[in-house]
Amino acid sequence: MITIAEPKPPTNTAELRQSLTELDRQVTDLWNRIGPEIFFAFPADGGWSPAQNLSHLALSTNIVTVSLRLPRLLPRIVFGLAKAPPRSYEQIRDKYKSVLNRGAGAGPFTPRKGTAPKDPVAERARRIARWTSVVPPLVTEIDRWPDADLDRYRLLHPLIGRLSMREMLSFTLYHLYRHSDIVARRMSG
């Protein structure tokens, strides 16, 4: 049985980095345990294949990493500065779940349907190798941000609106968990 543990809600930046690193370890283990015959298969419930979930997570996580690399002036001009203290992991998680429960989808972040690759073993290996290079740079970028700046600067989430950088990182933590947990439960069910 494969399980993904929901992260303990981080209360500070060090815990956030630690939670992302630990979740990355669990998620990478999950992808490595899924054979190529299942990796590209679509579930009976009409959801995304494990490969599509992985592609979605890689894309959305990379966007956060790139955003953390931007000169701070850019998000300040485009999204303004946060006017309130950052919401907790639980608040961000619950807001996201609420929006999903009202029917929101992944929009432009929806993975392509595609067809099974000609060489599923090689393609699975390529995608997992790419995945292993996604979270470590995110954790590294967090280290470049003082706590006050993580709480001050904002980004725009396509479903839940403007989030401080810390809130976006909390969202990313939950998002990684949510998609991986869905795949793990399907694999175990």
mmCIF file of all heavy atoms in Angstrom, residues 116-143:
data_model
loop_
_atom_site.group_PDB
_atom_site.id
_atom_site.type_symbol
_atom_site.label_atom_id
_atom_site.label_comp_id
_atom_site.label_asym_id
_atom_site.label_seq_id
_atom_site.Cartn_x
_atom_site.Cartn_y
_atom_site.Cartn_z
ATOM 1 N N ALA A 116 -0.290 7.201 -25.316
ATOM 2 C CA ALA A 116 0.807 6.495 -24.661
ATOM 3 C C ALA A 116 2.080 6.638 -25.504
ATOM 4 O O ALA A 116 2.030 6.567 -26.735
ATOM 5 C CB ALA A 116 0.452 5.029 -24.479
ATOM 6 N N PRO A 117 3.209 6.872 -24.869
ATOM 7 C CA PRO A 117 4.451 7.023 -25.627
ATOM 8 C C PRO A 117 4.883 5.706 -26.271
ATOM 9 O O PRO A 117 4.487 4.625 -25.821
ATOM 10 C CB PRO A 117 5.458 7.465 -24.567
ATOM 11 C CG PRO A 117 4.890 7.009 -23.277
ATOM 12 C CD PRO A 117 3.403 7.009 -23.437
ATOM 13 N N LYS A 118 5.694 5.813 -27.314
ATOM 14 C CA LYS A 118 6.195 4.608 -27.997
ATOM 15 C C LYS A 118 7.073 3.768 -27.079
ATOM 16 O O LYS A 118 7.073 2.555 -27.160
ATOM 17 C CB LYS A 118 6.954 5.003 -29.256
ATOM 18 C CG LYS A 118 6.048 5.587 -30.311
ATOM 19 C CD LYS A 118 6.807 5.991 -31.551
ATOM 20 C CE LYS A 118 5.808 6.612 -32.520
ATOM 21 N NZ LYS A 118 6.407 7.280 -33.614
ATOM 22 N N ASP A 119 7.839 4.440 -26.233
ATOM 23 C CA ASP A 119 8.706 3.743 -25.276
ATOM 24 C C ASP A 119 8.338 4.209 -23.866
ATOM 25 O O ASP A 119 8.969 5.109 -23.322
ATOM 26 C CB ASP A 119 10.176 4.039 -25.587
ATOM 27 C CG ASP A 119 11.138 3.244 -24.722
ATOM 28 O OD1 ASP A 119 10.686 2.587 -23.753
ATOM 29 O OD2 ASP A 119 12.349 3.284 -25.013
ATOM 30 N N PRO A 120 7.300 3.582 -23.259
ATOM 31 C CA PRO A 120 6.836 4.049 -21.951
ATOM 32 C C PRO A 120 7.896 3.928 -20.852
ATOM 33 O O PRO A 120 7.918 4.750 -19.926
ATOM 34 C CB PRO A 120 5.614 3.188 -21.650
ATOM 35 C CG PRO A 120 5.571 2.126 -22.665
ATOM 36 C CD PRO A 120 6.482 2.491 -23.774
ATOM 37 N N VAL A 121 8.770 2.956 -20.940
ATOM 38 C CA VAL A 121 9.808 2.795 -19.918
ATOM 39 C C VAL A 121 10.754 3.998 -19.939
ATOM 40 O O VAL A 121 11.033 4.614 -18.909
ATOM 41 C CB VAL A 121 10.579 1.472 -20.111
ATOM 42 C CG1 VAL A 121 11.765 1.379 -19.168
ATOM 43 C CG2 VAL A 121 9.642 0.280 -19.920
ATOM 44 N N ALA A 122 11.219 4.359 -21.123
ATOM 45 C CA ALA A 122 12.144 5.491 -21.255
ATOM 46 C C ALA A 122 11.453 6.812 -20.936
ATOM 47 O O ALA A 122 12.041 7.678 -20.272
ATOM 48 C CB ALA A 122 12.734 5.530 -22.664
ATOM 49 N N GLU A 123 10.215 6.964 -21.380
ATOM 50 C CA GLU A 123 9.498 8.221 -21.129
ATOM 51 C C GLU A 123 9.194 8.390 -19.638
ATOM 52 O O GLU A 123 9.315 9.484 -19.094
ATOM 53 C CB GLU A 123 8.211 8.285 -21.945
ATOM 54 C CG GLU A 123 7.406 9.548 -21.773
ATOM 55 C CD GLU A 123 8.139 10.819 -22.169
ATOM 56 O OE1 GLU A 123 9.130 10.762 -22.934
ATOM 57 O OE2 GLU A 123 7.725 11.899 -21.705
ATOM 58 N N ARG A 124 8.818 7.316 -18.981
ATOM 59 C CA ARG A 124 8.588 7.369 -17.534
ATOM 60 C C ARG A 124 9.877 7.772 -16.820
ATOM 61 O O ARG A 124 9.867 8.640 -15.945
ATOM 62 C CB ARG A 124 8.099 6.016 -17.035
ATOM 63 C CG ARG A 124 7.928 5.934 -15.537
ATOM 64 C CD ARG A 124 7.552 4.483 -15.126
ATOM 65 N NE ARG A 124 7.803 4.275 -13.739
ATOM 66 C CZ ARG A 124 8.968 3.912 -13.204
ATOM 67 N NH1 ARG A 124 10.027 3.728 -13.967
ATOM 68 N NH2 ARG A 124 9.095 3.744 -11.912
ATOM 69 N N ALA A 125 10.975 7.156 -17.185
ATOM 70 C CA ALA A 125 12.275 7.481 -16.570
ATOM 71 C C ALA A 125 12.641 8.953 -16.806
ATOM 72 O O ALA A 125 13.131 9.630 -15.897
ATOM 73 C CB ALA A 125 13.361 6.563 -17.113
ATOM 74 N N ARG A 126 12.377 9.447 -18.002
ATOM 75 C CA ARG A 126 12.681 10.844 -18.324
ATOM 76 C C ARG A 126 11.845 11.785 -17.465
ATOM 77 O O ARG A 126 12.359 12.763 -16.910
ATOM 78 C CB ARG A 126 12.416 11.105 -19.812
ATOM 79 C CG ARG A 126 12.825 12.517 -20.268
ATOM 80 C CD ARG A 126 12.381 12.821 -21.689
ATOM 81 N NE ARG A 126 10.952 13.014 -21.810
ATOM 82 C CZ ARG A 126 10.270 14.091 -21.380
ATOM 83 N NH1 ARG A 126 10.892 15.074 -20.791
ATOM 84 N NH2 ARG A 126 8.965 14.179 -21.538
ATOM 85 N N ARG A 127 10.572 11.483 -17.321
ATOM 86 C CA ARG A 127 9.694 12.359 -16.532
ATOM 87 C C ARG A 127 10.037 12.335 -15.044
ATOM 88 O O ARG A 127 9.998 13.362 -14.383
ATOM 89 C CB ARG A 127 8.235 11.972 -16.744
ATOM 90 C CG ARG A 127 7.749 12.328 -18.130
ATOM 91 C CD ARG A 127 6.278 12.104 -18.263
ATOM 92 N NE ARG A 127 5.860 12.218 -19.634
ATOM 93 C CZ ARG A 127 4.611 12.478 -19.987
ATOM 94 N NH1 ARG A 127 3.684 12.660 -19.071
ATOM 95 N NH2 ARG A 127 4.280 12.548 -21.262
ATOM 96 N N ILE A 128 10.384 11.171 -14.541
ATOM 97 C CA ILE A 128 10.760 11.085 -13.129
ATOM 98 C C ILE A 128 12.083 11.808 -12.904
ATOM 99 O O ILE A 128 12.245 12.520 -11.908
ATOM 100 C CB ILE A 128 10.810 9.617 -12.659
ATOM 101 C CG1 ILE A 128 9.386 9.037 -12.639
ATOM 102 C CG2 ILE A 128 11.463 9.509 -11.279
ATOM 103 C CD1 ILE A 128 9.315 7.544 -12.382
ATOM 104 N N ALA A 129 13.015 11.665 -13.823
ATOM 105 C CA ALA A 129 14.298 12.384 -13.703
ATOM 106 C C ALA A 129 14.055 13.886 -13.707
ATOM 107 O O ALA A 129 14.659 14.624 -12.922
ATOM 108 C CB ALA A 129 15.238 11.985 -14.837
ATOM 109 N N ARG A 130 13.157 14.337 -14.564
ATOM 110 C CA ARG A 130 12.824 15.762 -14.591
ATOM 111 C C ARG A 130 12.214 16.172 -13.258
ATOM 112 O O ARG A 130 12.535 17.220 -12.709
ATOM 113 C CB ARG A 130 11.871 16.072 -15.739
ATOM 114 C CG ARG A 130 11.485 17.543 -15.790
ATOM 115 C CD ARG A 130 10.655 17.884 -17.025
ATOM 116 N NE ARG A 130 10.296 19.279 -17.002
ATOM 117 C CZ ARG A 130 9.095 19.742 -16.670
ATOM 118 N NH1 ARG A 130 8.121 18.909 -16.363
ATOM 119 N NH2 ARG A 130 8.848 21.028 -16.665
ATOM 120 N N TRP A 131 11.317 15.347 -12.728
ATOM 121 C CA TRP A 131 10.676 15.660 -11.462
ATOM 122 C C TRP A 131 11.706 15.840 -10.344
ATOM 123 O O TRP A 131 11.574 16.726 -9.513
ATOM 124 C CB TRP A 131 9.662 14.588 -11.053
ATOM 125 C CG TRP A 131 9.214 14.813 -9.653
ATOM 126 C CD1 TRP A 131 9.565 14.106 -8.541
ATOM 127 C CD2 TRP A 131 8.392 15.891 -9.187
ATOM 128 N NE1 TRP A 131 9.003 14.665 -7.418
ATOM 129 C CE2 TRP A 131 8.281 15.763 -7.794
ATOM 130 C CE3 TRP A 131 7.738 16.946 -9.824
ATOM 131 C CZ2 TRP A 131 7.545 16.650 -7.020
ATOM 132 C CZ3 TRP A 131 7.001 17.828 -9.051
ATOM 133 C CH2 TRP A 131 6.907 17.671 -7.672
ATOM 134 N N THR A 132 12.717 15.001 -10.315
ATOM 135 C CA THR A 132 13.694 15.081 -9.221
ATOM 136 C C THR A 132 14.457 16.402 -9.229
ATOM 137 O O THR A 132 15.106 16.731 -8.241
ATOM 138 C CB THR A 132 14.690 13.903 -9.254
ATOM 139 O OG1 THR A 132 15.431 13.934 -10.467
ATOM 140 C CG2 THR A 132 13.967 12.568 -9.102
ATOM 141 N N SER A 133 14.329 17.156 -10.315
ATOM 142 C CA SER A 133 15.000 18.463 -10.369
ATOM 143 C C SER A 133 14.034 19.626 -10.133
ATOM 144 O O SER A 133 14.384 20.777 -10.366
ATOM 145 C CB SER A 133 15.684 18.636 -11.733
ATOM 146 O OG SER A 133 14.717 18.778 -12.752
ATOM 147 N N VAL A 134 12.840 19.343 -9.640
ATOM 148 C CA VAL A 134 11.827 20.386 -9.474
ATOM 149 C C VAL A 134 11.824 21.012 -8.072
ATOM 150 O O VAL A 134 11.917 22.230 -7.933
ATOM 151 C CB VAL A 134 10.421 19.840 -9.829
ATOM 152 C CG1 VAL A 134 9.328 20.795 -9.412
ATOM 153 C CG2 VAL A 134 10.334 19.557 -11.321
ATOM 154 N N VAL A 135 11.722 20.222 -7.031
ATOM 155 C CA VAL A 135 11.561 20.769 -5.682
ATOM 156 C C VAL A 135 12.870 21.310 -5.091
ATOM 157 O O VAL A 135 12.841 22.373 -4.456
ATOM 158 C CB VAL A 135 10.875 19.749 -4.739
ATOM 159 C CG1 VAL A 135 10.816 20.257 -3.304
ATOM 160 C CG2 VAL A 135 9.466 19.436 -5.242
ATOM 161 N N PRO A 136 14.015 20.650 -5.273
ATOM 162 C CA PRO A 136 15.242 21.206 -4.672
ATOM 163 C C PRO A 136 15.528 22.666 -5.054
ATOM 164 O O PRO A 136 15.859 23.465 -4.162
ATOM 165 C CB PRO A 136 16.344 20.242 -5.137
ATOM 166 C CG PRO A 136 15.623 18.929 -5.267
ATOM 167 C CD PRO A 136 14.274 19.312 -5.835
ATOM 168 N N PRO A 137 15.372 23.078 -6.316
ATOM 169 C CA PRO A 137 15.584 24.505 -6.608
ATOM 170 C C PRO A 137 14.567 25.416 -5.918
ATOM 171 O O PRO A 137 14.902 26.543 -5.536
ATOM 172 C CB PRO A 137 15.449 24.600 -8.129
ATOM 173 C CG PRO A 137 15.642 23.226 -8.629
ATOM 174 C CD PRO A 137 15.174 22.315 -7.545
ATOM 175 N N LEU A 138 13.349 24.944 -5.733
ATOM 176 C CA LEU A 138 12.346 25.729 -5.013
ATOM 177 C C LEU A 138 12.808 25.968 -3.578
ATOM 178 O O LEU A 138 12.775 27.096 -3.087
ATOM 179 C CB LEU A 138 10.989 25.012 -5.030
ATOM 180 C CG LEU A 138 9.872 25.676 -4.225
ATOM 181 C CD1 LEU A 138 9.523 27.034 -4.783
ATOM 182 C CD2 LEU A 138 8.656 24.771 -4.185
ATOM 183 N N VAL A 139 13.272 24.919 -2.928
ATOM 184 C CA VAL A 139 13.747 25.037 -1.549
ATOM 185 C C VAL A 139 14.948 25.982 -1.493
ATOM 186 O O VAL A 139 15.048 26.814 -0.589
ATOM 187 C CB VAL A 139 14.077 23.644 -0.970
ATOM 188 C CG1 VAL A 139 14.742 23.750 0.389
ATOM 189 C CG2 VAL A 139 12.799 22.802 -0.881
ATOM 190 N N THR A 140 15.816 25.891 -2.472
ATOM 191 C CA THR A 140 16.975 26.795 -2.527
ATOM 192 C C THR A 140 16.534 28.245 -2.670
ATOM 193 O O THR A 140 17.088 29.135 -2.022
ATOM 194 C CB THR A 140 17.901 26.397 -3.698
ATOM 195 O OG1 THR A 140 18.370 25.068 -3.467
ATOM 196 C CG2 THR A 140 19.079 27.343 -3.826
ATOM 197 N N GLU A 141 15.544 28.497 -3.516
ATOM 198 C CA GLU A 141 15.063 29.869 -3.703
ATOM 199 C C GLU A 141 14.435 30.429 -2.436
ATOM 200 O O GLU A 141 14.549 31.618 -2.159
ATOM 201 C CB GLU A 141 14.076 29.950 -4.873
ATOM 202 C CG GLU A 141 14.700 29.774 -6.229
ATOM 203 C CD GLU A 141 15.834 30.743 -6.510
ATOM 204 O OE1 GLU A 141 15.697 31.954 -6.199
ATOM 205 O OE2 GLU A 141 16.871 30.304 -7.025
ATOM 206 N N ILE A 142 13.783 29.594 -1.667
ATOM 207 C CA ILE A 142 13.181 30.057 -0.412
ATOM 208 C C ILE A 142 14.268 30.646 0.483
ATOM 209 O O ILE A 142 14.051 31.654 1.153
ATOM 210 C CB ILE A 142 12.434 28.911 0.302
ATOM 211 C CG1 ILE A 142 11.224 28.461 -0.517
ATOM 212 C CG2 ILE A 142 11.993 29.345 1.706
ATOM 213 C CD1 ILE A 142 10.576 27.181 -0.017
ATOM 214 N N ASP A 143 15.435 30.008 0.469
ATOM 215 C CA ASP A 143 16.546 30.484 1.312
ATOM 216 C C ASP A 143 16.998 31.895 0.959
ATOM 217 O O ASP A 143 17.601 32.575 1.778
ATOM 218 C CB ASP A 143 17.745 29.533 1.200
ATOM 219 C CG ASP A 143 17.507 28.217 1.915
ATOM 220 O OD1 ASP A 143 16.677 28.185 2.846
ATOM 221 O OD2 ASP A 143 18.154 27.224 1.545
#
